[in-house]
Amino acid sequence: MRGLVFDRQLGGQPTLRLARDLAVASPPPGEVRIRTTLAGICNTDLEILRGYHGFEGVLGHEFVGVVDEAEDPAWVGRRVVGEISASCRECPTCRAGRYTHCPTRTTLGILNRDGVLADSFCLPACNLHLLPEDLPDEAAVFTEPLAAACQVLEQVHLRPTDRVLVLGDGKLGLLVAQVVALTGCDLTAIGRHPEKLAILSARGIATQLDGDRVEGNADLVIECTGQAAGFRRARGLLRPRGTLVLKSTYHGLVEADLSRLVVDEIQVTGSRCGPFAPAIRLLAQGLVDVLPLVEAEFPLDEAIAAMDHAQRRGALKILVRP
Ligand SMILES: [Zn+2]
Ligand SMILES: [Zn+2]
């Protein structure tokens, strides 16, 4: 089968290649094999090419697919999305319900597990979520990043009276802003691309171009710029005792004045994967608008070109269809 592989051949530097001779995996106990019908390219995939996590293998974690092999025949032929981390379900962390933090977890296309930018891949059956029939693949493929946006509401008590800034108008920022807007809070999304901010304005969300004078003193700033410089920018827009939510993952370190965080008593929350069920409900009910985020679609045979396109400055969601 085919797969977009990032690996090291003959001891050289890892490189990206479209393999055509990958073995079709037999699902291990508890897992199913899924035929990818549509996949999305995420910033994390691009960061992996820069060395993030030191991952080597098949890339990709955002998918819609159809189960084609499973122990339980009820799964076969079902259209699904799936949570991306496979956890042991036995260790103290898992028993406490914190599956996404299992110390021996593997994660699709990110950590010790081949990803979804391939004809097929394996995932534990307990990770799967069935999709409503009338939800098209092009919307459902946003479930994983939308779940990550919903995670902010899992973690932070966001009051409808709060003044909230979402910093960054990339793929994740546009989803986070739409989710946060549903609370009725006083939200402004800040970005650098008028055409992307227009996607939010069309839904009645206030937007502002970064560089225009942005009023700071916010109760909550959600950093979604995907860049190390975003931390400092976000911090500068907070009031004392405000909350800073960090959504960006990137390869590299940030220099930060931690004493100022102490003096201003800033609460910092890292925020990663989120709950799939609410994300599917939001998509099914049309409460968020994801289709305008699709920039282009490529066949799997052109996955390298798809990655190149995704790396263009300001590119929105690139989809890959096996
Ligand atoms: Zn992602
Ligand atoms: Zn565990």
Side-chain angles (χ1 to χ4, degrees):
M1 68 164 194
R2 299 166 298 169
L4 182 65
V5 181
F6 183 62
D7 67 357
R8 196 180 301 266
Q9 302 252 289
L10 304 167
Q13 285 298 310
T15 52
L16 194 60
R17 64 191 172 95
L18 183 70
R20 296 179 180 279
D21 54 353
L22 299 178
V24 176
S26 305
E31 300 204 7
V32 304
R33 189 175 64 228
I34 297 164
R35 186 166 49 76
T36 309
T37 47
L38 192 61
I41 295 176
C42 166
N43 263 19
T44 305
D45 302 319
L46 306 178
E47 290 298 322
I48 285 170
L49 301 184
R50 297 181 188 118
Y52 177 68
H53 258 303
F55 175 77
E56 290 185 36
V58 178
L59 291 174
H61 56 273
E62 298 178 2
F63 74 93
V64 180
V66 173
V67 177
D68 73 356
E69 194 180 326
E71 286 160 7
D72 178 354
W75 278 115
V76 177
R78 306 305 295 272
R79 194 169 67 107
V80 295
V81 290
E83 296 179 40
I84 66 174
S85 287
S87 43
C88 76
R89 307 260 159 177
E90 284 172 0
C91 72
T93 302
C94 283
R95 284 193 193 151
R98 296 189 289 271
Y99 305 112
T100 58
H101 291 278
C102 173
T104 58
R105 71 184 179 273
T106 60
T107 305
L108 278 175
I110 296 175
L111 185 66
N112 297 329
R113 174 176 285 266
D114 279 335
V116 306
L117 285 163
D119 286 306
S120 67
F121 63 95
C122 293
L123 197 62
C126 59
N127 283 41
L128 302 183
H129 293 260
L130 290 172
L131 290 169
E133 258 171 39
D134 51 0
L135 185 64
D137 284 357
E138 293 75 10
V141 75
F142 283 89
T143 303
E144 193 274 336
L146 187 59
C150 291
Q151 180 68 357
V152 175
L153 300 186
E154 282 286 281
Q155 294 174 291
V156 176
H157 179 184
L158 205 164
R159 296 167 182 81
T161 47
D162 279 345
R163 206 165 74 78
V164 180
L165 302 177
V166 171
L167 197 58
D169 57 8
K171 300 176 279 293
L172 189 54
L174 295 177
L175 295 176
V176 168
Q178 292 190 60
V179 167
V180 165
L182 296 171
T183 66
C185 69
D186 176 4
L187 167 68
T188 304
I190 299 166
R192 293 187 171 164
H193 308 87
E195 71 285 1
K196 294 190 200 174
L197 293 174
I199 296 171
L200 298 178
S201 315
R203 295 193 67 87
I205 296 169
T207 66
Q208 203 177 347
L209 271 177
D210 204 1
D212 295 355
R213 217 194 74 76
V214 176
E215 193 192 326
N217 230 20
D219 301 300
L220 172 66
V221 179
I222 307 169
E223 197 285 307
C224 307
T225 65
Q227 288 171 6
F231 178 88
R232 191 175 178 160
R233 177 77 178 118
R235 165 67 190 93
L237 293 169
L238 271 176
R239 66 164 168 80
R241 290 201 179 150
T243 302
L244 175 55
V245 176
L246 303 176
K247 292 294 308 180
S248 300
T249 49
Y250 33 74
H251 180 59
L253 301 176
V254 168
E255 201 167 273
D257 183 348
L258 296 184
S259 299
R260 290 303 307 176
L261 295 182
V262 173
V263 171
D264 287 342
E265 300 188 316
I266 299 298
Q267 198 171 325
V268 180
T269 299
S271 177
R272 184 184 16 117
C273 296
F276 270 46
I280 294 170
R281 285 195 290 273
L282 290 176
L283 290 169
Q285 294 168 20
L287 289 170
V288 295
D289 203 5
V290 293
L291 297 181
L293 273 65
V294 177
E295 175 153 329
E297 185 184 301
F298 291 77
L300 181 58
D301 280 331
E302 294 170 25
I304 303 263
M307 290 295 273
D308 286 345
H309 190 137
Q311 300 204 61
R312 284 190 202 166
R313 248 190 117 70
L316 282 175
K317 186 61 78 187
I318 304 298
L319 300 179
V320 176
R321 195 185 291 271

